[in-house]
Amino acid sequence: MAEPKQLTSGSAHAEPHSARHATPGTYVAVLGALAVLTLIELIVVYLPFLGQILLLVIATAKAWLVLQFYMHLRYERKILTWIFLMPAIAVGILTAIMQFFVR
Amino acid sequence: MQQETTLTKVASHAPSVAEPAAEHAEHHVDHLKMASFTYNIENSKMAMWLFLASEMFLFSVLIIAYIIARYAHPEEHAQLNVPLTSINTFILLLSSFSVVWALSGVQMGNQTRLLRGLAGVIVLGSIFFLLMMYEYSELSHHGITLAHPFGMAFYALTGLHGAHVLIGLVWAIYVFNRAFNGVYTKESYWGVEFWGLYWHFVDVVWIFIFTVVYLL
């Protein structure tokens, strides 16, 4: 079964390839950044202070890199970013509210 | 479908009008068809992201449940195998790279790169899954089972993630088979793109699981 012809996101007019997606060089750079950040995480575990906050910041940065460059959110409409982030924000707010009732 | 029926009607009337008008009508039909394809792909993409958002709800809740169980049972948490999971994390990150490598291959019309990238994901994803099974058997020998409150929260979260990896692998084999049969081209590759989004999502979830479950 043949697939429908791929067109530029949100527009019927063709754009240069590099304007829509990251280049292979960017993909390699992101992989390098992800590997380095993971190594930093493994070192940060042994820090006596601020370790937990730093770990969460690094994990968020890694996830952001994957979302932006590998999942191409950087090149998509902003609504898709909000659709994806909304559940995490909602669960965060609900958890914070829950703390008042638990304590 | 409604739009496609209208397009057919317009096309069937085209020969009856003057030549320039017919050309204009044909051009208009082509434009409408292109817009229709764009509309469909945009809808499918939106649906895919809505699906991923619903998955985010599921995993977010399970991560919160795990955090509560983890601080209630710190001694069980100390038994988790961090070195093995670190290797697994690198494997999954590499598999995500393999996905974009395959995608960039098909975007450039390079079928060999597409097939190699997809094969890479299948191999790396399988290794990840097998190492996870090994970790589970190791933990069960240490008494961390589903019967334990910590085990329940741990296996619910990581097990659901593992199930997603397994589904992603089956999907990857399907995509590989289609790629092998030359279904994907430079102009038509959304089957690879949508599966890729799913696989990257599994990677994003693992990034947080690795930090929250194993490192915190």
Side-chain angles (χ1 to χ4, degrees):
Chain A
M1 190 179 70
E3 296 218 324
K5 210 172 185 178
Q6 194 94 13
L7 291 171
T8 312
S9 303
S11 164
H13 301 288
E15 284 177 27
H17 173 253
S18 58
R20 290 184 285 123
H21 295 294
T23 59
T26 312
Y27 293 145
V28 175
V30 170
L31 177 67
L34 289 170
V36 169
L37 285 171
T38 307
L39 285 173
I40 292 171
E41 272 189 309
L42 293 171
I43 296 165
V44 167
V45 173
Y46 298 102
L47 279 185
F49 54 92
L50 285 178
Q52 296 198 337
I53 296 166
L54 254 178
L55 283 171
L56 286 173
V57 169
I58 295 170
T60 308
K62 283 166 67 183
W64 195 244
L65 280 173
V66 174
L67 284 162
Q68 290 286 293
F69 294 100
Y70 284 2
M71 295 174 87
H72 305 127
L73 272 183
R74 189 182 177 85
Y75 311 97
E76 299 284 358
R77 288 169 298 159
K78 290 289 167 238
I79 184 75
L80 295 183
T81 305
W82 284 111
I83 284 173
F84 187 73
L85 289 182
M86 210 47 83
I89 294 168
V91 171
I93 292 169
L94 286 172
T95 309
I97 292 170
M98 196 176 73
Q99 295 301 311
F100 289 106
F101 293 101
V102 172
R103 286 177 189 187
Chain B
M1 288 307 287
Q2 185 65 41
Q3 201 173 6
E4 280 175 15
T5 315
T6 317
L7 290 173
T8 316
K9 280 179 185 170
V10 172
S12 65
H13 287 297
S16 64
V17 293
E19 196 64 27
E23 266 180 36
H24 179 74
E26 268 179 33
H27 179 74
H28 186 61
V29 167
D30 282 348
H31 186 74
L32 279 177
K33 277 182 180 171
M34 283 176 76
S36 172
F37 278 132
T38 311
Y39 179 71
N40 288 337
I41 287 170
E42 282 300 294
N43 277 0
S44 307
K45 193 175 276 182
M46 178 69 88
M48 187 67 196
W49 278 100
L50 283 169
F51 165 68
L52 295 180
S54 72
E55 293 270 83
M56 270 292 279
F57 257 122
L58 190 60
F59 279 107
S60 302
V61 169
L62 285 174
I63 286 173
I64 297 293
Y66 173 82
I67 291 171
I68 293 165
R70 180 246 183 276
Y71 285 104
H73 305 276
E75 64 283 357
E76 279 78 9
H77 173 261
Q79 301 205 25
L80 297 179
N81 191 339
V82 176
L84 178 77
T85 323
S86 303
I87 294 167
N88 240 359
T89 301
F90 281 111
I91 288 171
L92 205 61
L93 290 175
L94 204 57
S95 76
S96 246
F97 170 75
S98 199
V99 171
V100 286
W101 200 247
L103 187 67
S104 69
V106 73
Q107 283 170 342
M108 291 189 291
N110 187 338
Q111 291 292 325
T112 311
R113 188 193 277 192
L114 168 67
L115 288 170
R116 281 183 184 167
L118 290 171
V121 178
I122 294 166
V123 170
L124 292 165
S126 302
I127 294 171
F128 176 90
F129 190 77
L130 289 174
L131 284 178
M132 202 185 88
M133 290 298 105
Y134 171 75
E135 184 203 6
Y136 276 12
S137 70
E138 208 181 37
L139 286 174
S140 66
H141 283 119
H142 286 103
I144 300 175
T145 60
L146 273 173
H148 194 280
F150 173 83
M152 196 171 67
F154 173 80
Y155 289 120
L157 177 57
T158 57
L160 187 72
H161 180 266
H164 278 73
V165 171
L166 200 60
I167 292 166
L169 277 174
V170 173
W171 194 351
I173 292 166
Y174 172 75
V175 172
F176 181 87
N177 183 47
R178 280 168 70 85
F180 190 75
N181 289 320
V183 173
Y184 306 114
T185 62
K186 201 174 173 180
E187 293 81 22
S188 162
Y189 53 81
W190 63 264
V192 182
E193 195 174 354
F194 285 7
W195 159 76
L197 283 176
Y198 175 84
W199 192 267
H200 291 313
F201 170 76
V202 170
D203 191 22
V204 167
V205 170
W206 181 255
I207 285 170
F208 283 110
I209 289 178
F210 176 61
T211 303
V212 173
V213 174
Y214 294 89
L215 300 183
L216 283 185

